[in-house]
Amino acid sequence: MESQRNILLIALLLVSYMIWNQWEADHAPQPAVTASTVATSSQETALNDVPVADDNAADVPQTQVVASKELIRVKTDQLDVEINPVGGDIVHAALVTHKLELNENDPFVLLERKADFTYIAQSGLIGKNGIDSGKGRAAYAAEQQQYQLADGQEKLEVPLTYVAPNGVTYTKVFTFTKGKFDVRVDYRVNNTSAEPLQVQMYGQIKQTIKPSDSHMMMPTYRGGAFSTADTRYEKYDFDEMQEKNLQKTTEGGWVAMLQHYFVSAWVPAADEQNIMYSSVSNGKDANIGFRGASHIVAPGESKTFGADFYVGPKDQAALSELSDSLNLVVDYGVLWWLAVPIYKLLMIFHSFIGNWGLSIILITLTVRGILYPLTKAQYTSMAKMRNLAPKIQELKERFGDDRQKMGQATMEMYRKEKVNPMGGCLPIFLQMPIFLALYWVLMESVELRHAPFVLWIQDLSVQDPYYVLPVLNGITMYIMQKLQPMSPNMDPMQAKMMQWMPVIFAVFFMWFPAGLVLYWLMGNIVAIIQQKIIYASLEKKGLK
């Protein structure tokens, strides 16, 4: 069996499947938002998308207020956020250290509120004595409109205060930490009344439903996800939210909104019972959130409770600090068990050399080195098969159309000559999963976003701007074909298709991330060198 041709055929089938799968996703009919869906969403989220408390108690009606235009701005070394004093929602979040475009100064904006698009993080207190409801949100007062993390300062607290008509003071505190993308949101309830208070925190992420910006070579996900004690990670996309509201009770857990390279997530208390929910309001805004445990605050008592909110890149180390399963939003698919060690090895290489392109080259050399014994066995088997070609032709002439005898005689000849006809296949099935796993590592790892290599390759996460790597990849494929002459018995149509394979793949790779094409190119170069070495060794043994 001709190994390289089989690799090309399998890879071509893989790419064809990806194209078909993406076409299906783009052209599949979208579920309609029915009247019943909208009605159910309205019942559960009310006017301001505030969820109904678990005890079904009527939320305390608040004075309806107009959203303030005087937003509270907070700047740290990582975040530039704006908080609406009405409700205390985070309505804008820019990632200072992640730029919108390569070589530009504008930061990447994750949370925002525009006329045609909303993506914000909401939180509040509901329940019998809650201060947020569908009839209104608490209007907080802040000591200042601008906050900034000073040089040398590790933490920055932004307190917002609301005094209820009964004199109870509610303080919503946002705590920002140097170098962190997560924000601690705490409620400090000081019950100065004569009656016990019952309140329940909720946190949700609201986003206007919009399609993902993925394409056939970059199939990325945009939508919700959640975690429970039983399910560590599960996507819950916009279509599912429109069809059915999420309702899961669990200890701990988290909810999130995902997109390519970035995530926002609420992580409530890990030792409390929380309810994960979703809803769709106005037929266009998807909400995914949690309702925390109900808290009783006795007269004269003060109580503090809260949750963590993450808004930033899919940094696996940072996400794991908040929850041992939150790092799973970096989704490597079914080959995660192979992608995770590849990612860790990539990180180790980068820690030494500081260049992601060179790290990918080292990954290639490592993988090819590990597979070398199998590669040698593969080429040896192929050489023996080619040397047996005249004898196989003799068997065909001897047995004619008697396939049973022909098969028995052929297997007997393989046994005597100690040739494994499947010896050329095993490396193929080992290389393809590695290729796919690395593909998802390069697709999902935010570290490679805007990561330069050399010269014209300044972003390994996108396609080569001048298509140099795809062209070089086609050239190396052509050289590999010349090192493995086609069988004279090959069907002419198949032979013609194989001759065009380097061109076909050069075109396909024009849309792949440059980092992945670099991996495949280096793999081809190493394979050419290995072939020359192995073939020279075989010729010394009399095998051509």
Side-chain angles (χ1 to χ4, degrees):
M1 181 176 291
E2 301 291 347
S3 170
Q4 182 61 21
R5 297 189 186 105
N6 286 318
I7 291 176
L8 294 174
L9 283 172
I10 292 173
L12 180 60
L13 290 173
L14 168 68
V15 173
S16 300
Y17 168 77
M18 291 170 62
I19 294 173
W20 173 82
N21 193 51
Q22 187 62 33
W23 187 92
E24 284 286 306
D26 291 341
H27 293 81
Q30 299 298 318
V33 182
T34 62
S36 59
T37 303
V38 176
T40 302
S41 300
S42 298
Q43 291 171 6
E44 292 190 4
T45 60
L47 297 176
N48 288 314
D49 298 314
V50 177
V52 176
D54 295 340
D55 59 5
N56 293 320
D59 292 337
V60 176
Q62 302 301 314
T63 303
Q64 185 67 40
V65 292
V66 179
S68 172
K69 294 182 180 179
E70 295 297 325
L71 301 178
I72 301 164
R73 189 173 185 182
V74 185
K75 296 185 69 173
T76 72
D77 60 331
Q78 297 289 356
L79 295 171
D80 184 352
V81 307
E82 293 178 352
I83 302 170
N84 189 344
V86 178
D89 299 333
I90 301 177
V91 296
H92 180 90
L95 312 183
V96 177
T97 54
H98 290 262
K99 304 306 178 183
L100 179 62
E101 299 290 345
L102 186 66
N103 299 325
E104 291 189 4
N105 293 324
D106 293 338
F108 183 86
V109 176
L110 188 55
L111 302 186
E112 58 185 336
R113 184 176 58 182
K114 300 188 296 187
D116 59 344
F117 180 72
T118 296
Y119 185 5
I120 62 176
Q122 300 177 303
S123 56
L125 293 181
I126 55 178
K128 182 179 179 181
N129 303 106
I131 55 176
D132 297 285
S133 73
K135 297 180 181 180
R137 305 289 303 282
Y140 290 95
E143 294 179 356
Q144 56 196 71
Q145 295 298 123
Q146 302 278 340
Y147 291 84
Q148 183 159 354
L149 186 72
D151 293 339
Q153 187 179 4
E154 291 297 321
K155 290 184 180 294
L156 173 64
E157 284 194 357
V158 179
L160 307 181
T161 304
Y162 171 76
V163 180
N166 60 358
V168 175
T169 302
Y170 298 85
T171 305
K172 187 173 187 177
V173 183
F174 295 84
T175 303
F176 297 82
T177 305
K178 182 180 180 180
K180 301 283 188 178
F181 290 96
D182 52 277
V183 182
R184 179 67 186 178
V185 181
D186 281 313
Y187 282 92
R188 299 172 184 171
V189 182
N190 182 19
N191 187 3
T192 56
S193 71
E195 300 292 333
L197 303 177
Q198 183 270 317
V199 290
Q200 180 182 15
M201 181 182 176
Y202 79 92
Q204 69 180 17
I205 306 166
K206 177 195 288 189
Q207 182 176 177
T208 301
I209 297 173
K210 62 179 293 188
S212 173
D213 55 358
S214 65
H215 55 79
M216 65 180 64
M217 300 307 175
M218 297 278 285
T220 56
Y221 173 77
R222 188 183 190 102
F226 69 92
S227 174
T228 66
D230 299 325
T231 305
R232 299 189 72 226
Y233 168 71
E234 185 170 334
K235 293 177 181 176
Y236 206 74
D237 61 31
F238 293 141
D239 290 345
E240 291 176 291
M241 293 184 196
Q242 290 176 321
E243 291 175 359
K244 183 181 180 181
N245 290 334
L246 175 67
Q247 191 77 6
K248 299 281 186 180
T249 302
T250 180
E251 185 175 50
W254 51 260
V255 292
M257 283 287 189
L258 314 181
Q259 65 188 67
H260 196 201
Y261 293 134
F262 300 99
V263 58
S264 60
W266 278 107
V267 184
D271 58 351
E272 293 182 355
Q273 288 291 317
N274 303 296
I275 296 177
M276 309 299 164
Y277 70 88
S278 74
S279 64
V280 176
S281 56
N282 304 320
K284 64 174 184 177
D285 292 328
N287 306 290
I288 189 166
F290 78 93
R291 296 195 298 272
S294 182
H295 294 273
I296 304 297
V297 186
E301 180 187 22
S302 293
K303 196 168 188 179
T304 301
F305 49 88
D308 292 305
F309 178 68
Y310 183 92
V311 53
K314 293 180 180 177
D315 183 325
Q316 297 189 50
L319 294 169
S320 296
E321 290 181 6
L322 296 177
S323 169
D324 61 2
S325 63
L326 190 55
N327 65 307
L328 297 179
V329 299
V330 183
D331 192 352
Y332 295 136
V334 296
L335 292 174
W336 61 268
W337 51 273
L338 186 56
V340 169
I342 289 176
Y343 169 78
K344 290 182 178 179
L345 186 59
L346 196 64
M347 293 293 288
I348 291 173
F349 286 151
H350 184 264
S351 67
F352 286 107
I353 59 181
N355 184 292
W356 289 108
L358 294 178
S359 301
I360 292 173
I361 292 175
L362 288 179
I363 281 281
T364 309
L365 297 176
T366 302
V367 170
R368 291 288 181 173
I370 293 173
L371 294 179
Y372 180 75
L374 291 174
T375 302
K376 185 176 181 180
Q378 168 193 1
Y379 290 140
T380 301
S381 176
M382 290 163 56
K384 289 181 178 180
M385 289 290 291
R386 281 195 292 270
N387 278 270
L388 290 177
K391 295 182 179 181
I392 293 176
Q393 185 62 34
E394 291 178 5
L395 293 178
K396 286 182 179 180
E397 295 174 355
R398 182 191 306 175
F399 294 107
D401 295 332
D402 192 336
R403 295 185 178 182
Q404 183 176 359
K405 291 184 178 180
M406 172 66 185
Q408 291 174 348
T410 302
M411 295 307 296
E412 179 64 21
M413 182 181 64
Y414 287 156
R415 186 183 64 80
K416 288 181 179 180
E417 298 290 340
K418 297 181 180 180
V419 175
N420 180 6
M422 300 300 292
C425 298
L426 183 59
I428 302 171
F429 294 108
L430 289 177
Q431 289 178 43
M432 289 311 297
I434 293 173
F435 171 79
L436 289 173
L438 185 61
Y439 171 81
W440 285 110
V441 168
L442 298 181
M443 279 282 296
E444 283 290 299
S445 299
V446 70
E447 291 86 356
L448 272 74
R449 182 178 185 265
H450 296 171
F453 175 37
V454 293
L455 301 175
W456 73 99
I457 303 293
Q458 294 298 310
D459 189 349
L460 288 165
S461 67
V462 299
Q463 64 194 54
D464 183 337
Y466 301 111
Y467 308 116
V468 175
L469 293 181
V471 171
L472 291 177
N473 190 75
I475 293 172
T476 55
M477 283 186 172
Y478 176 78
I479 295 172
M480 293 179 73
Q481 276 195 351
K482 290 302 179 182
L483 288 176
Q484 297 185 27
M486 294 185 185
S487 171
N489 299 322
M490 181 179 290
D491 179 76
M493 182 63 71
Q494 184 182 2
K496 196 72 173 177
M497 186 181 72
M498 294 306 302
Q499 290 176 352
W500 281 96
M501 273 293 185
V503 177
I504 293 172
F505 269 85
V507 174
F508 275 141
F509 279 138
M510 287 180 178
W511 283 272
F512 274 84
L516 188 67
V517 184
L518 175 63
Y519 166 76
W520 193 269
L521 171 63
M522 289 304 303
N524 286 349
I525 293 173
V526 174
I528 290 171
I529 297 172
Q530 288 180 339
Q531 282 180 259
K532 298 291 286 184
I533 293 173
I534 294 171
Y535 287 165
S537 174
L538 292 176
E539 287 182 357
K540 290 181 180 179
K541 297 178 181 180
L543 288 173
K544 294 185 178 180

